[in-house]
Amino acid sequence: MLSPTSFDRRPILRHAWRETWTRNLLLPIIGLVVFIILFPVSTAGMPSSSIFNVDYTHDQLKYRFFDASFGPVITGAVLVYGLLLGIALLRFLHDRRQTVAYFSLGITRMRLLAARLGAGCLMLLIGVGVPLAVSLLLNLAALGYTTSIFGSFFYLLCGYLVLGLVSLFVAGIGCVLAGTLLEAAVFSACLLAIPSAALYGVGALMRHLLFGSASGVLLRTGTGLAASSLLTQFAAFNPALFFYHNSMTYSAFYATTTGETLPAIRPLAVVLWFIGAVILAELAAFALQRRKNEIAGVRGMSHGMNIVLTLTLAFFLYTLLFDVLAALNVFVAFIAATAGFVAVWLAFAVLTSRGKKAGRQNITVLAAGLAATYAGVALLGTGFLGYSARVPNADDIASATISYVGSPNYITGDGTQGSSGANGYYIAQQVKLTDASDLSLLVLLHKTLIAAGKPALELNQNDFEKTAVPYDIMVQYTLKSGSTLVRYYDRSTFSTLESMLTLENTQAVKRLEQNIITGNTGDAYWAAGAYRGGSIYLSNNWYTNPQLLTLSADKRTALLQALAADVAAQPLNDRYFPSKPALGVLMFSQTGNSDTKTYAYNLENAEVYLTSAFTNTLKFLNDNGLTKALSFDGAAESITLMKYNPYVSKDRAAAPEGQYFMAYTADNAGSFILQKDFGKNYVVDAPDQIGELIPLLQNDYYMSRGGYLAAVKLQGSDTYVYKFLPLAGAPKKIRSVVIN
């Protein structure tokens, strides 16, 4: 007779192994089908983007294991597959009869768990690895061998397998802690999602509460984020996302003419998470050893996990509601978010409460959860221990960038983002500063931004310059230590915007202006493209009879050099707050004479408002007999005025707009850059009043100091010329009569 220590358990283990596969054979089959679609079919099965389609690959695509658009789906599918494997293989734990039967097989719980999870590992390898290998073979057949193809294949294989193992073993922990199958699914998903939910929640609160936070903020141009979200920044520590970005990097390789290569593979994250997966498996084993058979089939027995689940879902719903509603009303967002938190707690209290003691514990959980949440809210709302007020010393800065808020006519090029239309324009342009004097100025401007705070987006009736308007302002520092610091502000007062115009005096902006005007950047779009190859039109300041300048290459170069010299020497006030009307307008247009029909600014033209400060340009025009185009012998018939108020229309208030006014023409008196919701505009038709106003009207002006939008109807014409009347120079009668 065999002693207990010599009892041969191998037949029992083999039986358990066979039984595991027999009862769960459908799982690897499903995995194969799903991942065959995601890997080989996505890379070779769609004719328009197949790796066998030469018109698509252009002899540049060297390999592609899956279509890039499938990347997020594949990561999600691996995670779900791992969870399903874990829950399915350990579902016997949630039926009391099955639990007793399996634990009576004559093998230890640890060996039973190892057999089950070991089968899950093999199913994971079959479901994910085989389709990925098929994709490799298809790439070799279609595109041939490339040096890095096998390295990328094994890296992707290992990464996805480790991702699946993490999900599988998390499901193992969830199943051991749960009493029912539904609880197992919820616990497993919750454990896997806790880091993502926490990072999303904290990020959402930061976006709305932490002054200056750039993390995860979508720029209003829709072109990207001010700074990566917390989910991206901490992806390496997230069991669900640690491999996502690397999987996208090594999923395909294009050989370009510039000789670009893939970055070297860094397996550290995969190795560390493999170790993490082993630790998770050990935790599942540890929990299984202490699991009581009596909880099988009974919900609510894992009090600790119920608390974790309750707080996770409550916090996630709190931040989700706050994120959605904060843009409308912060107070309403707080009320709704708190109600959502309490609702989640109440739902779980009803489902899991067992007796008065449990009820008191649930109330304690609610109080502690809300207290912790609002403590975090208070920290973020008060600047998070100096985060919002931090400005590095100029001596510690290697370089920096800041948003440009001035004229788009001299600095926009291929890297600029923005829009233009009938209601104005908006550009997003970052200026890089490296000179010591420029960085010192930037530090002062940043402190001005911070001092302005986050005022309400509304008209300041007492001081127009304190009115805050929507604006994307980014400040990014690269410190000499190698670290970076990014801040984002979604609004600015007019006085702060005006102070930012001093960037015109920096060496960086002056160099950029010179390069844009003279064509040294090589850019083909925006103002840079207009100066390089656009048609040149010269007009008086009323835009009548514009003249197309036909210049030789040498004379065009001479004009641009004269213009560049004048722009470099132009005083700030002459550019943004002129005291006299412009002498004329020089327009560079990439759309031909269509721009001369309205002279409205658009992204593909550049308009230069000539003043007496443009001595070199005026001399060039005079020497070449072109100054006749600057003369105007007409008169104004009437002037329609509307006070400049960015909040005159409710629809207008949420959108950022450039504050540099540039004159234009229209065929009616209602084409202001702002449209009233109601009320009539004031019309001046008395000749003496018109004569008083005409010398005060400006073709270009920075509107930060307030003023009036003016539509001037020319005599004997259906044309209305839209100009700006600065508040400081407006007659007293106009100030008293035109109040909106």
Side-chain angles (χ1 to χ4, degrees), residues 214-300:
S215 178
V217 174
L218 179 65
L219 297 176
R220 289 187 175 94
T221 55
T223 55
L225 300 177
S228 57
S229 67
L230 294 184
L231 282 168
T232 300
Q233 293 178 39
F234 294 96
F237 304 96
N238 191 331
L241 296 175
F242 72 88
F243 190 62
Y244 172 70
H245 296 288
N246 284 338
S247 69
M248 298 299 292
T249 299
Y250 296 96
S251 65
F253 175 53
Y254 290 85
T256 62
T257 55
T258 58
E260 294 179 6
T261 59
L262 284 172
I265 292 175
R266 296 181 178 179
L268 181 61
V270 174
V271 172
L272 291 178
W273 273 106
F274 176 75
I275 296 172
V278 174
I279 294 173
L280 290 172
E282 291 292 334
L283 289 175
F286 178 80
L288 183 61
Q289 284 182 316
R290 284 153 182 77
R291 175 187 168 91
K292 295 180 180 180
N293 292 348
E294 291 78 8
I295 74 170
V298 182
R299 62 174 171 80

Side-chain angles (χ1 to χ4, degrees), residues 403-407 425 471 473 497 500-501 503 659-660 702:
S403 300
Y404 179 85
V405 301
S407 167
Y425 74 94
Y471 224 95
I473 299 179
L497 287 176
M500 292 181 66
L501 295 177
L503 286 170
Q659 296 301 320
Y660 178 58
Y702 206 79

Side-chain angles (χ1 to χ4, degrees), residues 186-200:
V186 174
F187 285 3
S188 301
C190 176
L191 287 171
L192 194 62
I194 284 175
S196 297
L199 289 170
Y200 163 78

Side-chain angles (χ1 to χ4, degrees), residues 413-453:
D414 289 0
T416 307
Q417 301 291 338
S419 60
S420 61
N423 294 326
Y425 74 94
Y426 180 67
I427 65 167
Q429 173 87 357
Q430 295 294 114
V431 178
K432 185 175 182 179
L433 310 175
T434 56
D435 295 85
S437 58
D438 294 356
L439 295 174
S440 296
L441 175 61
L442 171 60
V443 168
L444 292 176
L445 291 177
H446 191 185
K447 290 179 178 179
T448 302
L449 279 167
I450 294 172

Side-chain angles (χ1 to χ4, degrees), residues 219-537:
L219 297 176
R220 289 187 175 94
T221 55
T223 55
L225 300 177
S228 57
S229 67
L230 294 184
L231 282 168
T232 300
Q233 293 178 39
F234 294 96
F237 304 96
N238 191 331
L241 296 175
F242 72 88
F243 190 62
Y244 172 70
H245 296 288
N246 284 338
S247 69
M248 298 299 292
T249 299
Y250 296 96
S251 65
F253 175 53
Y254 290 85
T256 62
T257 55
T258 58
E260 294 179 6
T261 59
L262 284 172
I265 292 175
R266 296 181 178 179
L268 181 61
V270 174
V271 172
L272 291 178
W273 273 106
F274 176 75
I275 296 172
V278 174
I279 294 173
L280 290 172
E282 291 292 334
L283 289 175
F286 178 80
L288 183 61
Q289 284 182 316
R290 284 153 182 77
R291 175 187 168 91
K292 295 180 180 180
N293 292 348
E294 291 78 8
I295 74 170
V298 182
R299 62 174 171 80
M301 297 300 291
S302 180
H303 185 63
M305 193 60 208
N306 287 333
I307 292 176
V308 171
L309 181 60
T310 301
L311 292 179
T312 299
L313 292 179
F315 178 72
F316 176 74
L317 183 60
Y318 178 98
T319 54
L320 180 63
L321 290 172
F322 187 84
D323 195 17
V324 172
L325 299 174
L328 303 176
N329 187 290
V330 173
F331 180 74
V332 171
F334 274 127
I335 298 299
T338 303
F341 193 105
V342 174
V344 171
W345 168 83
L346 186 61
F348 277 90
V350 171
L351 291 173
T352 62
S353 181
R354 294 180 180 276
K356 294 183 178 180
K357 182 178 179 181
R360 288 193 296 270
Q361 290 175 337
N362 283 331
I363 293 175
T364 302
V365 169
L366 173 64
L370 281 175
T373 299
Y374 275 102
V377 166
L379 276 174
L380 294 174
T382 55
F384 197 63
L385 306 176
Y387 172 97
S388 296
R390 184 191 174 195
V391 179
N393 294 323
D395 293 339
D396 298 329
I397 305 170
S399 64
T401 62
I402 185 172
S403 300
Y404 179 85
V405 301
S407 167
N409 290 309
Y410 306 126
I411 56 92
T412 57
D414 289 0
T416 307
Q417 301 291 338
S419 60
S420 61
N423 294 326
Y425 74 94
Y426 180 67
I427 65 167
Q429 173 87 357
Q430 295 294 114
V431 178
K432 185 175 182 179
L433 310 175
T434 56
D435 295 85
S437 58
D438 294 356
L439 295 174
S440 296
L441 175 61
L442 171 60
V443 168
L444 292 176
L445 291 177
H446 191 185
K447 290 179 178 179
T448 302
L449 279 167
I450 294 172
K454 195 173 182 178
L457 293 172
E458 60 187 14
L459 178 69
N460 189 308
Q461 300 285 356
N462 300 318
D463 188 345
F464 182 82
E465 293 186 43
K466 291 182 179 179
T467 297
V469 290
Y471 224 95
D472 284 332
I473 299 179
M474 281 183 59
V475 184
Q476 180 170 343
Y477 300 96
T478 300
L479 303 182
K480 292 177 180 177
S481 63
S483 61
T484 59
L485 187 150
V486 184
R487 295 292 184 266
Y488 167 83
Y489 306 94
D490 69 346
R491 66 195 67 192
S492 175
T493 61
F494 279 127
S495 60
T496 302
L497 287 176
E498 183 174 324
S499 68
M500 292 181 66
L501 295 177
T502 56
L503 286 170
E504 303 284 352
N505 296 326
T506 61
Q507 297 301 312
V509 171
K510 288 186 177 296
R511 283 193 296 266
L512 180 59
E513 290 175 342
Q514 296 300 294
N515 290 331
I516 290 289
I517 295 172
T518 58
N520 290 337
T521 63
D523 292 356
Y525 302 102
W526 296 63
Y531 288 117
R532 281 174 61 86
S535 302
I536 307 174
Y537 295 90

Side-chain angles (χ1 to χ4, degrees), residues 4 7-10 12-13 100-109 111-112:
F7 179 72
D8 189 0
R9 294 179 176 84
R10 285 176 295 181
I12 300 176
L13 285 172
V100 173
Y102 277 96
F103 287 166
S104 302
L105 288 175
I107 57 176
T108 64
R109 292 186 177 191
R111 290 190 176 185
L112 180 60

